Amino acid sequence: MEWPAHVERFLLYLAAECGLSTNYRESVRQSLTRFIGWCRERDLAPEAITEPLLAEYRRHIHDEGLAFSSCRIAMVHLRRFFRYLSMRSGLPQNPAELVQGGAVNRNIPETLSAEVVAQLLASIDPTDVPFGARDRAMLEMLYGSGLRVSELVNLRPEQINWEESFLRVTGKGGKTRYVPLGDMAAKALRTYAQHARHLLQKERRRVPELFLSVRGTKLTRERIRQIIKARAQAAGLSEHVYPHIMRHSFATHLLENGADLRVIQDMLGHADLATTQIYTHVEAQRLVGLHRHFHPRGKKRDEEDSSADSQ
């Protein structure tokens, strides 16, 4: 049985046997639709799903920027779905039972240093058309404007205001915001738009989105993830680089350089300031590290802690 048939039977089970509300079932449908899309990109059938794959998916939706509470709910839905498949559809085991807790811990977000970002960007030659120009523009946009990868893949030329140097971005919930377009990002974007994009376009396929694949189609989020990973490896970086870490780095570096938290909130498109405040923890950790490294009493404390541990 294919994924859609499994989902429809599961939703019917939730309604008829569990008596769950329409809103809850719609939430489950959305979770499963996202998961099935991820599986189809990897050609995974229901019986092929394992606990490591579910753990990888959990990391994927976290890295894509899904809210922590939404990640937790998505994994709860998957555990229930696979429990149903193991009971009713002959699935030999429930792989989701081994995914501990189903929640993504609200850890302080990973970031890259400004030096690492500069190294990554400098490693991509924008005169290498079309792919060098495209990839440099994408990374400059993710870092320079703090876009979500979903916003990047859906970006269209008419959303760019070249004269005023800003983007009109439609984010989560269909909300529109205006994001500054920095000089470096604007330069890379103009190079791609003027000298490379037409080389990726196909005569029979006119795609409105700005960033195109080798086949002339709109780039997918997963393909952008693959491109960034390959570029980071080619640049000789040891750090794990993925699309959302560029957004984290954008926010963190703004805060480090004195930007107001509410301004960062507006640029990121966060509905709640509490979501943006997690970047203050990144800055706090950095300051603690600097104090311990440079201040005489900070060094002394580390030495005393080390001495105590050895006694």
Side-chain angles (χ1 to χ4, degrees), residues 270-285:
H270 287 162
D272 189 347
L273 183 63
T275 307
T276 316
Q277 283 175 331
I278 194 164
Y279 295 106
T280 64
H281 299 297
V282 179
E283 175 66 355
Q285 277 197 340

PDB file of all heavy atoms in Angstrom, residues 270-285:
ATOM      1  N   HIS A 270      10.123  36.811  12.972  1.00  0.00           N
ATOM      2  CA  HIS A 270       9.607  36.098  14.139  1.00  0.00           C
ATOM      3  C   HIS A 270       8.368  36.797  14.676  1.00  0.00           C
ATOM      4  O   HIS A 270       8.377  38.012  14.890  1.00  0.00           O
ATOM      5  CB  HIS A 270      10.670  36.045  15.255  1.00  0.00           C
ATOM      6  CG  HIS A 270      11.785  35.110  14.963  1.00  0.00           C
ATOM      7  ND1 HIS A 270      12.997  35.168  15.624  1.00  0.00           N
ATOM      8  CD2 HIS A 270      11.893  34.072  14.087  1.00  0.00           C
ATOM      9  CE1 HIS A 270      13.791  34.214  15.168  1.00  0.00           C
ATOM     10  NE2 HIS A 270      13.146  33.549  14.239  1.00  0.00           N
ATOM     11  N   ALA A 271       7.318  36.035  14.928  1.00  0.00           N
ATOM     12  CA  ALA A 271       6.100  36.610  15.480  1.00  0.00           C
ATOM     13  C   ALA A 271       6.289  36.990  16.946  1.00  0.00           C
ATOM     14  O   ALA A 271       5.693  37.945  17.441  1.00  0.00           O
ATOM     15  CB  ALA A 271       4.937  35.633  15.327  1.00  0.00           C
ATOM     16  N   ASP A 272       7.135  36.234  17.647  1.00  0.00           N
ATOM     17  CA  ASP A 272       7.314  36.411  19.092  1.00  0.00           C
ATOM     18  C   ASP A 272       8.768  36.774  19.379  1.00  0.00           C
ATOM     19  O   ASP A 272       9.693  36.103  18.899  1.00  0.00           O
ATOM     20  CB  ASP A 272       6.936  35.112  19.808  1.00  0.00           C
ATOM     21  CG  ASP A 272       6.884  35.254  21.321  1.00  0.00           C
ATOM     22  OD1 ASP A 272       7.368  36.271  21.840  1.00  0.00           O
ATOM     23  OD2 ASP A 272       6.360  34.337  21.972  1.00  0.00           O
ATOM     24  N   LEU A 273       8.978  37.813  20.157  1.00  0.00           N
ATOM     25  CA  LEU A 273      10.341  38.229  20.508  1.00  0.00           C
ATOM     26  C   LEU A 273      11.081  37.118  21.256  1.00  0.00           C
ATOM     27  O   LEU A 273      12.310  37.008  21.156  1.00  0.00           O
ATOM     28  CB  LEU A 273      10.300  39.497  21.355  1.00  0.00           C
ATOM     29  CG  LEU A 273      11.661  40.100  21.738  1.00  0.00           C
ATOM     30  CD1 LEU A 273      12.423  40.540  20.494  1.00  0.00           C
ATOM     31  CD2 LEU A 273      11.477  41.277  22.693  1.00  0.00           C
ATOM     32  N   ALA A 274      10.341  36.272  21.981  1.00  0.00           N
ATOM     33  CA  ALA A 274      10.975  35.190  22.740  1.00  0.00           C
ATOM     34  C   ALA A 274      11.741  34.246  21.817  1.00  0.00           C
ATOM     35  O   ALA A 274      12.764  33.680  22.208  1.00  0.00           O
ATOM     36  CB  ALA A 274       9.922  34.414  23.524  1.00  0.00           C
ATOM     37  N   THR A 275      11.260  34.078  20.590  1.00  0.00           N
ATOM     38  CA  THR A 275      11.959  33.226  19.628  1.00  0.00           C
ATOM     39  C   THR A 275      13.306  33.830  19.273  1.00  0.00           C
ATOM     40  O   THR A 275      14.310  33.122  19.141  1.00  0.00           O
ATOM     41  CB  THR A 275      11.113  33.047  18.352  1.00  0.00           C
ATOM     42  OG1 THR A 275       9.805  32.601  18.716  1.00  0.00           O
ATOM     43  CG2 THR A 275      11.752  32.036  17.408  1.00  0.00           C
ATOM     44  N   THR A 276      13.349  35.152  19.118  1.00  0.00           N
ATOM     45  CA  THR A 276      14.590  35.839  18.762  1.00  0.00           C
ATOM     46  C   THR A 276      15.565  35.877  19.931  1.00  0.00           C
ATOM     47  O   THR A 276      16.785  35.887  19.733  1.00  0.00           O
ATOM     48  CB  THR A 276      14.278  37.280  18.304  1.00  0.00           C
ATOM     49  OG1 THR A 276      13.148  37.262  17.438  1.00  0.00           O
ATOM     50  CG2 THR A 276      15.449  37.889  17.562  1.00  0.00           C
ATOM     51  N   GLN A 277      15.036  35.875  21.150  1.00  0.00           N
ATOM     52  CA  GLN A 277      15.882  36.026  22.333  1.00  0.00           C
ATOM     53  C   GLN A 277      16.850  34.869  22.530  1.00  0.00           C
ATOM     54  O   GLN A 277      17.812  35.000  23.281  1.00  0.00           O
ATOM     55  CB  GLN A 277      15.016  36.195  23.578  1.00  0.00           C
ATOM     56  CG  GLN A 277      14.419  37.588  23.707  1.00  0.00           C
ATOM     57  CD  GLN A 277      13.466  37.711  24.867  1.00  0.00           C
ATOM     58  OE1 GLN A 277      12.827  36.736  25.268  1.00  0.00           O
ATOM     59  NE2 GLN A 277      13.353  38.913  25.424  1.00  0.00           N
ATOM     60  N   ILE A 278      16.625  33.760  21.848  1.00  0.00           N
ATOM     61  CA  ILE A 278      17.553  32.641  21.998  1.00  0.00           C
ATOM     62  C   ILE A 278      18.952  33.037  21.526  1.00  0.00           C
ATOM     63  O   ILE A 278      19.965  32.512  22.006  1.00  0.00           O
ATOM     64  CB  ILE A 278      17.048  31.389  21.240  1.00  0.00           C
ATOM     65  CG1 ILE A 278      17.826  30.146  21.689  1.00  0.00           C
ATOM     66  CG2 ILE A 278      17.113  31.577  19.733  1.00  0.00           C
ATOM     67  CD1 ILE A 278      17.186  28.860  21.302  1.00  0.00           C
ATOM     68  N   TYR A 279      19.031  34.032  20.629  1.00  0.00           N
ATOM     69  CA  TYR A 279      20.340  34.467  20.148  1.00  0.00           C
ATOM     70  C   TYR A 279      21.107  35.248  21.210  1.00  0.00           C
ATOM     71  O   TYR A 279      22.326  35.366  21.116  1.00  0.00           O
ATOM     72  CB  TYR A 279      20.182  35.287  18.865  1.00  0.00           C
ATOM     73  CG  TYR A 279      19.629  34.462  17.736  1.00  0.00           C
ATOM     74  CD1 TYR A 279      18.317  34.621  17.310  1.00  0.00           C
ATOM     75  CD2 TYR A 279      20.401  33.483  17.118  1.00  0.00           C
ATOM     76  CE1 TYR A 279      17.797  33.843  16.295  1.00  0.00           C
ATOM     77  CE2 TYR A 279      19.892  32.697  16.108  1.00  0.00           C
ATOM     78  CZ  TYR A 279      18.581  32.874  15.703  1.00  0.00           C
ATOM     79  OH  TYR A 279      18.062  32.099  14.704  1.00  0.00           O
ATOM     80  N   THR A 280      20.404  35.766  22.203  1.00  0.00           N
ATOM     81  CA  THR A 280      21.111  36.431  23.292  1.00  0.00           C
ATOM     82  C   THR A 280      21.913  35.424  24.097  1.00  0.00           C
ATOM     83  O   THR A 280      22.940  35.763  24.685  1.00  0.00           O
ATOM     84  CB  THR A 280      20.136  37.177  24.229  1.00  0.00           C
ATOM     85  OG1 THR A 280      19.270  36.234  24.863  1.00  0.00           O
ATOM     86  CG2 THR A 280      19.317  38.190  23.462  1.00  0.00           C
ATOM     87  N   HIS A 281      21.458  34.165  24.132  1.00  0.00           N
ATOM     88  CA  HIS A 281      22.205  33.115  24.833  1.00  0.00           C
ATOM     89  C   HIS A 281      23.501  32.787  24.100  1.00  0.00           C
ATOM     90  O   HIS A 281      24.515  32.473  24.716  1.00  0.00           O
ATOM     91  CB  HIS A 281      21.346  31.866  24.983  1.00  0.00           C
ATOM     92  CG  HIS A 281      20.106  32.082  25.784  1.00  0.00           C
ATOM     93  ND1 HIS A 281      20.135  32.449  27.115  1.00  0.00           N
ATOM     94  CD2 HIS A 281      18.795  32.012  25.445  1.00  0.00           C
ATOM     95  CE1 HIS A 281      18.896  32.580  27.561  1.00  0.00           C
ATOM     96  NE2 HIS A 281      18.059  32.320  26.569  1.00  0.00           N
ATOM     97  N   VAL A 282      23.454  32.857  22.763  1.00  0.00           N
ATOM     98  CA  VAL A 282      24.668  32.651  21.975  1.00  0.00           C
ATOM     99  C   VAL A 282      25.691  33.724  22.310  1.00  0.00           C
ATOM    100  O   VAL A 282      26.866  33.457  22.545  1.00  0.00           O
ATOM    101  CB  VAL A 282      24.347  32.674  20.461  1.00  0.00           C
ATOM    102  CG1 VAL A 282      25.623  32.478  19.636  1.00  0.00           C
ATOM    103  CG2 VAL A 282      23.321  31.614  20.110  1.00  0.00           C
ATOM    104  N   GLU A 283      25.222  34.985  22.351  1.00  0.00           N
ATOM    105  CA  GLU A 283      26.110  36.104  22.668  1.00  0.00           C
ATOM    106  C   GLU A 283      26.629  35.987  24.093  1.00  0.00           C
ATOM    107  O   GLU A 283      27.803  36.253  24.359  1.00  0.00           O
ATOM    108  CB  GLU A 283      25.356  37.423  22.470  1.00  0.00           C
ATOM    109  CG  GLU A 283      26.126  38.672  22.884  1.00  0.00           C
ATOM    110  CD  GLU A 283      27.358  38.953  22.041  1.00  0.00           C
ATOM    111  OE1 GLU A 283      27.708  38.125  21.167  1.00  0.00           O
ATOM    112  OE2 GLU A 283      27.989  39.991  22.253  1.00  0.00           O
ATOM    113  N   ALA A 284      25.771  35.567  25.025  1.00  0.00           N
ATOM    114  CA  ALA A 284      26.203  35.413  26.418  1.00  0.00           C
ATOM    115  C   ALA A 284      27.300  34.361  26.525  1.00  0.00           C
ATOM    116  O   ALA A 284      28.298  34.555  27.233  1.00  0.00           O
ATOM    117  CB  ALA A 284      25.016  35.039  27.298  1.00  0.00           C
ATOM    118  N   GLN A 285      27.132  33.256  25.826  1.00  0.00           N
ATOM    119  CA  GLN A 285      28.161  32.217  25.840  1.00  0.00           C
ATOM    120  C   GLN A 285      29.478  32.734  25.283  1.00  0.00           C
ATOM    121  O   GLN A 285      30.550  32.433  25.791  1.00  0.00           O
ATOM    122  CB  GLN A 285      27.694  31.003  25.019  1.00  0.00           C
ATOM    123  CG  GLN A 285      26.806  30.043  25.779  1.00  0.00           C
ATOM    124  CD  GLN A 285      26.737  28.699  25.081  1.00  0.00           C
ATOM    125  OE1 GLN A 285      27.035  28.573  23.897  1.00  0.00           O
ATOM    126  NE2 GLN A 285      26.349  27.684  25.821  1.00  0.00           N
TER     127      GLN A 285
END
